Amino acid sequence: MQKFLPARVFYEPEALEYPLGKDLVARFRGLGILVDATGSHNRVTGIPGKTPGQSYREGKHTLVIGVRKGKTFQSCKPSAHYQLPLVTSCPGMCEYCYLNTTLGKKPYIRVYVNVEEILAAARTLTESRLPDITIFEGAATSDPLPVEDYTGSLKRVIEFFGQMEKARFRFVTKFTNVDSLLEAKHEGHTRFRFSLNCDSVVKAYEHATPRPQERIQAAGKVLQAGYPLGFIIAPMIRVEGWRGEYEVLLSSLAEELAKKAPEHWTSQNLSFEWITHRYTTRAKNNILEVFPETTLPMDEEQRKYKYGQFGYGKYIYRPEEMAEMKEFALEMTEKYFPGAKIEYFI
Ligand code: SF4
């Protein structure tokens, strides 16, 4: 998988007051990429695109370098206490990305360069909750890995949490450029999660992301580096031969982890999150605009409508299909990863 290279870069002038901001601007200019100032990292004009598809793709090729203001973070229930704002969006183009409905028509990638200030805010929030442990999620609005080779921010954050006795960090990725993080002094305080899916689902719907086997290999390296490790299998889709496909995914994963596992490691240390495919009407309309040729199964007749908060109901699989998928997921997890923690199946 090629390293992410933006087609254009914008920066907030204030970002130049930070070494990382200065460095990034100089670096992208050095690469011959168009780099321009922007008034605000929230309202970026100058990204081309006439149709929804073009706007989406051009957004995904645009990097914005900004400064995070404010000393508090959004909450991130139920999996963590707070989001840790580092990066927004990602160059991947998954048709069912959970960010597609929240990031607007041009989902540009934004990185914040005032990492030390963000970490200082995380420290204050942690102190305010003592003696309890505070958990921060680093991937609530992004996949933070693709820009890591440029910023190094994730490594800095992992080492910061390594030194925090009463705070923990977690994030999830579909990307595989993990090498720079393997040496980080994480002290077991960061849970590194990979989002996986079976081959045919990734091929059909997760454009511009690494293949499952590459993600599995990256997970092996992360395990070898001693990180707490977890997996999100999502969205689980009843493609043709889904049982066989998902079993191959789990068995390949088990095989790779067994090769890389440190001595005395057991699969009881792993966590699994299973999420079946679901969609809202709004998400469906969005997907059809950006990916008019999509083959995603979104036929309401085949689904059960589940009422949600604030009127955002979702179309989920029918109860009998859901029960079948759940039984399969639990059985497979236990078969290949005995004792692993299943955080939830939804
Ligand atoms: S990799 Fe994650 S954040 Fe990026 S498009 Fe896919 S689902 Fe969205």
Side-chain angles (χ1 to χ4, degrees):
M1 173 100 211
Q2 270 184 339
K3 182 171 165 175
F4 164 62
L5 196 64
R8 66 194 70 78
V9 174
F10 293 98
Y11 65 93
E12 279 183 307
E14 212 187 323
L16 297 179
E17 291 167 23
Y18 297 83
L20 178 58
K22 238 195 228 165
D23 179 55
L24 289 173
V25 167
R27 205 150 147 203
F28 287 115
R29 283 210 169 115
L31 290 171
I33 294 169
L34 188 74
V35 179
D36 217 344
T38 178
S40 155
H41 65 236
N42 290 321
R43 280 183 306 280
V44 179
T45 52
I47 304 175
K50 290 202 176 77
T51 65
Q54 278 171 2
S55 301
Y56 172 83
R57 273 174 266 278
E58 295 296 343
K60 290 276 184 173
H61 284 106
T62 303
L63 180 72
V64 176
I65 301 166
V67 175
R68 172 69 162 54
K69 310 262 169 39
K71 294 208 175 343
T72 192
F73 305 151
Q74 293 214 19
S75 74
C76 195
K77 285 177 187 155
S79 59
H81 298 99
Y82 294 105
Q83 303 183 4
L84 190 84
L86 280 182
V87 184
T88 313
S89 189
C90 119
M93 299 188 196
C94 305
E95 296 189 11
Y96 35 59
C97 178
Y98 58 114
L99 302 174
N100 285 350
T101 45
T102 56
L103 294 182
K105 301 280 177 206
K106 295 178 178 171
Y108 56 82
I109 298 137
R110 175 173 54 202
V111 296
Y112 290 128
V113 293
N114 55 331
V115 180
E116 295 307 322
E117 288 168 8
I118 293 168
L119 293 179
R123 187 188 294 277
T124 308
L125 289 171
T126 304
E127 282 164 1
S128 72
R129 288 181 26 86
L130 287 174
D132 292 345
I133 286 188
T134 305
I135 303 171
F136 293 86
E137 166 63 59
T141 58
S142 71
D143 188 313
L145 255 285
V147 289
E148 178 62 11
D149 292 343
Y150 296 114
T151 64
S153 299
L154 206 48
K155 182 174 185 204
R156 169 70 190 112
V157 169
I158 290 169
E159 295 200 329
F160 168 84
F161 283 103
Q163 296 190 337
M164 294 284 284
E165 207 187 320
K166 292 289 190 178
R168 296 291 179 270
F169 184 51
R170 49 190 273 141
F171 64 92
V172 57
T173 186
K174 286 189 166 96
F175 286 80
T176 53
N177 53 311
V178 298
D179 289 3
S180 65
L181 305 176
L182 301 178
E183 297 290 307
K185 295 180 191 66
H186 58 78
E187 310 298 343
H189 291 182
T190 291
R191 183 165 289 267
F192 208 127
R193 287 131 73 224
F194 284 88
S195 167
L196 296 177
N197 218 315
C198 62
D199 251 322
S200 65
V201 169
V202 170
K203 201 165 174 191
Y205 308 117
E206 299 191 356
H207 316 293
T209 66
R211 307 308 311 258
Q213 199 53 35
E214 297 173 72
R215 299 181 205 174
I216 287 174
Q217 278 161 8
K221 292 187 195 174
V222 166
L223 177 65
Q224 206 166 28
Y227 280 92
L229 185 59
F231 298 96
I232 300 187
I233 318 278
M236 189 183 184
I237 299 184
R238 294 171 69 91
V239 286
E240 208 182 319
W242 60 273
R243 290 166 171 278
E245 287 234 19
Y246 284 100
E247 180 156 10
V248 166
L249 177 72
L250 291 200
S251 64
S252 320
L253 179 62
E255 200 181 311
E256 183 65 19
L257 296 190
K259 273 195 248 160
K260 297 292 170 58
E263 226 184 320
H264 306 308
W265 180 85
T266 79
S267 52
Q268 288 174 0
N269 302 327
L270 295 177
S271 67
F272 280 84
E273 296 157 75
W274 287 88
I275 307 173
T276 55
H277 181 242
R278 61 223 22 248
Y279 61 92
T280 60
T281 302
R282 189 161 162 232
K284 176 177 174 176
N285 292 339
N286 240 300
I287 292 168
L288 291 173
E289 264 192 7
V290 178
F291 302 98
E293 311 289 323
T294 187
T295 60
L296 265 176
M298 295 189 293
D299 176 1
E300 288 73 26
E301 306 258 299
Q302 306 286 325
R303 298 289 179 117
K304 174 188 149 86
Y305 185 74
K306 187 177 174 217
Y307 287 90
Q309 265 182 321
F310 318 116
Y312 292 121
K314 288 178 176 135
Y315 291 94
I316 61 173
Y317 281 111
R318 290 175 178 159
E320 61 280 10
E321 291 178 329
M322 207 61 146
E324 199 183 5
M325 292 162 92
K326 183 172 184 178
E327 194 190 334
F328 172 83
L330 303 191
E331 196 188 302
M332 287 296 127
T333 312
E334 187 55 27
K335 175 173 173 186
Y336 290 102
F337 307 99
K341 185 166 183 224
I342 297 177
E343 304 268 2
Y344 54 80
F345 174 98
I346 54 169

Short mmCIF file of all heavy atoms in Angstrom, two decimals, residues 220-251:
data_model
loop_
_atom_site.label_atom_id
_atom_site.label_comp_id
_atom_site.label_asym_id
_atom_site.label_seq_id
_atom_site.Cartn_x
_atom_site.Cartn_y
_atom_site.Cartn_z
N GLY A 220 0.39 -8.71 13.87
CA GLY A 220 1.42 -9.61 14.41
C GLY A 220 2.60 -8.81 14.96
O GLY A 220 3.10 -9.07 16.05
N LYS A 221 3.00 -7.79 14.22
CA LYS A 221 4.14 -6.95 14.68
C LYS A 221 3.78 -6.22 15.96
O LYS A 221 4.60 -6.08 16.87
CB LYS A 221 4.47 -5.90 13.62
CG LYS A 221 5.03 -6.42 12.32
CD LYS A 221 5.43 -5.20 11.50
CE LYS A 221 5.68 -5.53 10.05
NZ LYS A 221 5.93 -4.31 9.26
N VAL A 222 2.54 -5.75 16.02
CA VAL A 222 2.10 -4.99 17.19
C VAL A 222 2.05 -5.90 18.42
O VAL A 222 2.42 -5.51 19.53
CB VAL A 222 0.72 -4.34 16.88
CG1 VAL A 222 0.04 -3.83 18.13
CG2 VAL A 222 0.90 -3.22 15.86
N LEU A 223 1.62 -7.14 18.19
CA LEU A 223 1.60 -8.11 19.29
C LEU A 223 3.02 -8.37 19.79
O LEU A 223 3.29 -8.39 20.99
CB LEU A 223 0.95 -9.41 18.81
CG LEU A 223 0.92 -10.53 19.83
CD1 LEU A 223 0.03 -10.16 21.02
CD2 LEU A 223 0.41 -11.83 19.21
N GLN A 224 3.92 -8.54 18.83
CA GLN A 224 5.31 -8.81 19.17
C GLN A 224 5.90 -7.64 19.98
O GLN A 224 6.77 -7.84 20.82
CB GLN A 224 6.09 -8.95 17.86
CG GLN A 224 7.33 -9.79 17.96
CD GLN A 224 7.84 -10.15 16.57
OE1 GLN A 224 7.63 -9.41 15.59
NE2 GLN A 224 8.50 -11.28 16.46
N ALA A 225 5.42 -6.45 19.71
CA ALA A 225 5.91 -5.27 20.43
C ALA A 225 5.27 -5.12 21.80
O ALA A 225 5.52 -4.15 22.51
CB ALA A 225 5.66 -4.02 19.59
N GLY A 226 4.41 -6.08 22.16
CA GLY A 226 3.88 -6.11 23.52
C GLY A 226 2.69 -5.22 23.80
O GLY A 226 2.29 -5.04 24.96
N TYR A 227 2.08 -4.69 22.77
CA TYR A 227 0.89 -3.85 23.01
C TYR A 227 -0.31 -4.73 23.37
O TYR A 227 -0.47 -5.82 22.79
CB TYR A 227 0.49 -3.12 21.73
CG TYR A 227 1.25 -1.88 21.39
CD1 TYR A 227 2.37 -1.94 20.56
CD2 TYR A 227 0.84 -0.64 21.85
CE1 TYR A 227 3.07 -0.79 20.20
CE2 TYR A 227 1.52 0.51 21.49
CZ TYR A 227 2.63 0.44 20.68
OH TYR A 227 3.31 1.57 20.33
N PRO A 228 -1.20 -4.25 24.23
CA PRO A 228 -2.53 -4.88 24.31
C PRO A 228 -3.18 -4.73 22.94
O PRO A 228 -3.07 -3.67 22.31
CB PRO A 228 -3.26 -4.02 25.35
CG PRO A 228 -2.17 -3.35 26.15
CD PRO A 228 -1.03 -3.15 25.18
N LEU A 229 -3.82 -5.79 22.48
CA LEU A 229 -4.28 -5.82 21.09
C LEU A 229 -5.78 -6.15 21.03
O LEU A 229 -6.28 -6.92 21.85
CB LEU A 229 -3.46 -6.90 20.37
CG LEU A 229 -3.60 -7.11 18.88
CD1 LEU A 229 -3.27 -5.85 18.10
CD2 LEU A 229 -2.68 -8.26 18.43
N GLY A 230 -6.46 -5.56 20.06
CA GLY A 230 -7.88 -5.86 19.90
C GLY A 230 -8.29 -5.79 18.45
O GLY A 230 -7.54 -5.27 17.60
N PHE A 231 -9.47 -6.31 18.17
CA PHE A 231 -9.96 -6.33 16.78
C PHE A 231 -11.42 -5.92 16.73
O PHE A 231 -12.22 -6.33 17.58
CB PHE A 231 -9.80 -7.72 16.18
CG PHE A 231 -8.36 -8.13 16.14
CD1 PHE A 231 -7.81 -8.92 17.14
CD2 PHE A 231 -7.53 -7.66 15.12
CE1 PHE A 231 -6.46 -9.23 17.13
CE2 PHE A 231 -6.18 -7.96 15.11
CZ PHE A 231 -5.65 -8.76 16.11
N ILE A 232 -11.71 -5.11 15.72
CA ILE A 232 -13.11 -4.80 15.43
C ILE A 232 -13.41 -5.48 14.12
O ILE A 232 -12.72 -5.24 13.12
CB ILE A 232 -13.32 -3.28 15.27
CG1 ILE A 232 -12.92 -2.55 16.55
CG2 ILE A 232 -14.77 -2.99 14.93
CD1 ILE A 232 -13.27 -1.06 16.53
N ILE A 233 -14.37 -6.36 14.12
CA ILE A 233 -14.76 -6.99 12.86
C ILE A 233 -16.04 -6.27 12.45
O ILE A 233 -17.09 -6.45 13.06
CB ILE A 233 -15.06 -8.50 13.03
CG1 ILE A 233 -14.03 -9.17 13.93
CG2 ILE A 233 -15.20 -9.19 11.67
CD1 ILE A 233 -12.74 -9.59 13.34
N ALA A 234 -15.88 -5.42 11.45
CA ALA A 234 -17.03 -4.57 11.11
C ALA A 234 -16.86 -3.97 9.72
O ALA A 234 -15.75 -3.66 9.33
CB ALA A 234 -17.14 -3.44 12.13
N PRO A 235 -17.99 -3.78 9.05
CA PRO A 235 -19.28 -4.37 9.37
C PRO A 235 -19.34 -5.80 8.85
O PRO A 235 -18.89 -6.09 7.74
CB PRO A 235 -20.25 -3.47 8.61
CG PRO A 235 -19.48 -3.01 7.41
CD PRO A 235 -18.03 -2.98 7.83
N MET A 236 -19.89 -6.66 9.67
CA MET A 236 -20.04 -8.05 9.26
C MET A 236 -21.21 -8.10 8.26
O MET A 236 -22.32 -7.65 8.55
CB MET A 236 -20.37 -8.88 10.49
CG MET A 236 -20.35 -10.35 10.27
SD MET A 236 -20.85 -11.19 11.81
CE MET A 236 -20.62 -12.88 11.32
N ILE A 237 -20.94 -8.61 7.07
CA ILE A 237 -21.95 -8.62 6.01
C ILE A 237 -22.20 -10.05 5.54
O ILE A 237 -21.25 -10.83 5.39
CB ILE A 237 -21.49 -7.75 4.81
CG1 ILE A 237 -21.28 -6.30 5.27
CG2 ILE A 237 -22.49 -7.79 3.67
CD1 ILE A 237 -20.91 -5.33 4.18
N ARG A 238 -23.44 -10.35 5.26
CA ARG A 238 -23.78 -11.70 4.80
C ARG A 238 -23.54 -11.81 3.29
O ARG A 238 -24.45 -12.01 2.51
CB ARG A 238 -25.25 -12.00 5.13
CG ARG A 238 -25.51 -12.07 6.63
CD ARG A 238 -26.99 -12.15 6.91
NE ARG A 238 -27.56 -13.43 6.50
CZ ARG A 238 -27.66 -14.48 7.29
NH1 ARG A 238 -27.22 -14.42 8.53
NH2 ARG A 238 -28.20 -15.59 6.85
N VAL A 239 -22.27 -11.68 2.91
CA VAL A 239 -21.93 -11.88 1.49
C VAL A 239 -22.06 -13.38 1.21
O VAL A 239 -22.15 -14.19 2.13
CB VAL A 239 -20.48 -11.43 1.19
CG1 VAL A 239 -20.38 -9.92 1.18
CG2 VAL A 239 -19.48 -12.02 2.18
N GLU A 240 -22.01 -13.72 -0.06
CA GLU A 240 -22.11 -15.14 -0.39
C GLU A 240 -20.96 -15.90 0.27
O GLU A 240 -19.81 -15.47 0.21
CB GLU A 240 -22.03 -15.29 -1.90
CG GLU A 240 -22.77 -16.52 -2.34
CD GLU A 240 -22.65 -16.71 -3.83
OE1 GLU A 240 -22.74 -15.70 -4.56
OE2 GLU A 240 -22.47 -17.87 -4.23
N GLY A 241 -21.28 -16.97 0.94
CA GLY A 241 -20.24 -17.76 1.61
C GLY A 241 -19.64 -17.07 2.82
O GLY A 241 -18.48 -17.27 3.15
N TRP A 242 -20.45 -16.23 3.49
CA TRP A 242 -19.91 -15.40 4.58
C TRP A 242 -19.28 -16.22 5.71
O TRP A 242 -18.27 -15.84 6.27
CB TRP A 242 -20.96 -14.42 5.13
CG TRP A 242 -22.21 -15.05 5.70
CD1 TRP A 242 -23.32 -15.40 5.02
CD2 TRP A 242 -22.44 -15.40 7.07
NE1 TRP A 242 -24.26 -15.93 5.86
CE2 TRP A 242 -23.74 -15.95 7.13
CE3 TRP A 242 -21.70 -15.31 8.24
CZ2 TRP A 242 -24.30 -16.40 8.33
CZ3 TRP A 242 -22.26 -15.75 9.44
CH2 TRP A 242 -23.54 -16.30 9.48
N ARG A 243 -19.87 -17.36 6.00
CA ARG A 243 -19.31 -18.16 7.09
C ARG A 243 -17.87 -18.55 6.78
O ARG A 243 -16.96 -18.39 7.60
CB ARG A 243 -20.12 -19.44 7.31
CG ARG A 243 -21.49 -19.19 7.88
CD ARG A 243 -22.35 -20.45 7.74
NE ARG A 243 -23.58 -20.30 8.47
CZ ARG A 243 -23.71 -20.49 9.78
NH1 ARG A 243 -22.69 -20.86 10.50
NH2 ARG A 243 -24.87 -20.29 10.36
N GLY A 244 -17.69 -19.08 5.58
CA GLY A 244 -16.35 -19.52 5.18
C GLY A 244 -15.39 -18.34 5.15
O GLY A 244 -14.26 -18.44 5.64
N GLU A 245 -15.84 -17.23 4.62
CA GLU A 245 -14.96 -16.04 4.50
C GLU A 245 -14.51 -15.55 5.89
O GLU A 245 -13.35 -15.23 6.09
CB GLU A 245 -15.70 -14.92 3.79
CG GLU A 245 -15.85 -15.19 2.32
CD GLU A 245 -15.31 -14.04 1.48
OE1 GLU A 245 -14.52 -13.22 1.99
OE2 GLU A 245 -15.70 -13.97 0.32
N TYR A 246 -15.47 -15.44 6.80
CA TYR A 246 -15.09 -14.92 8.12
C TYR A 246 -14.26 -15.94 8.89
O TYR A 246 -13.39 -15.58 9.68
CB TYR A 246 -16.32 -14.46 8.92
CG TYR A 246 -16.84 -13.13 8.41
CD1 TYR A 246 -17.93 -13.06 7.55
CD2 TYR A 246 -16.21 -11.94 8.77
CE1 TYR A 246 -18.39 -11.84 7.06
CE2 TYR A 246 -16.65 -10.72 8.28
CZ TYR A 246 -17.74 -10.67 7.42
OH TYR A 246 -18.18 -9.45 6.93
N GLU A 247 -14.50 -17.21 8.62
CA GLU A 247 -13.67 -18.20 9.31
C GLU A 247 -12.22 -18.13 8.80
O GLU A 247 -11.28 -18.21 9.58
CB GLU A 247 -14.24 -19.62 9.17
CG GLU A 247 -13.34 -20.61 9.90
CD GLU A 247 -14.00 -21.90 10.36
OE1 GLU A 247 -15.14 -22.18 9.95
OE2 GLU A 247 -13.33 -22.64 11.12
N VAL A 248 -12.06 -17.94 7.50
CA VAL A 248 -10.70 -17.81 6.95
C VAL A 248 -10.00 -16.59 7.57
O VAL A 248 -8.83 -16.64 7.94
CB VAL A 248 -10.75 -17.67 5.40
CG1 VAL A 248 -9.42 -17.19 4.85
CG2 VAL A 248 -11.16 -18.98 4.76
N LEU A 249 -10.76 -15.53 7.72
CA LEU A 249 -10.18 -14.32 8.32
C LEU A 249 -9.65 -14.63 9.72
O LEU A 249 -8.50 -14.32 10.05
CB LEU A 249 -11.25 -13.22 8.38
CG LEU A 249 -10.83 -11.92 9.06
CD1 LEU A 249 -9.86 -11.14 8.18
CD2 LEU A 249 -12.04 -11.04 9.37
N LEU A 250 -10.49 -15.26 10.53
CA LEU A 250 -10.08 -15.52 11.92
C LEU A 250 -8.96 -16.56 12.00
O LEU A 250 -8.05 -16.43 12.80
CB LEU A 250 -11.27 -15.98 12.76
CG LEU A 250 -12.35 -14.93 13.05
CD1 LEU A 250 -13.18 -15.34 14.25
CD2 LEU A 250 -11.79 -13.55 13.29
N SER A 251 -9.03 -17.57 11.14
CA SER A 251 -7.97 -18.59 11.21
C SER A 251 -6.64 -18.01 10.75
O SER A 251 -5.60 -18.30 11.33
CB SER A 251 -8.36 -19.86 10.45
OG SER A 251 -8.48 -19.57 9.09
#
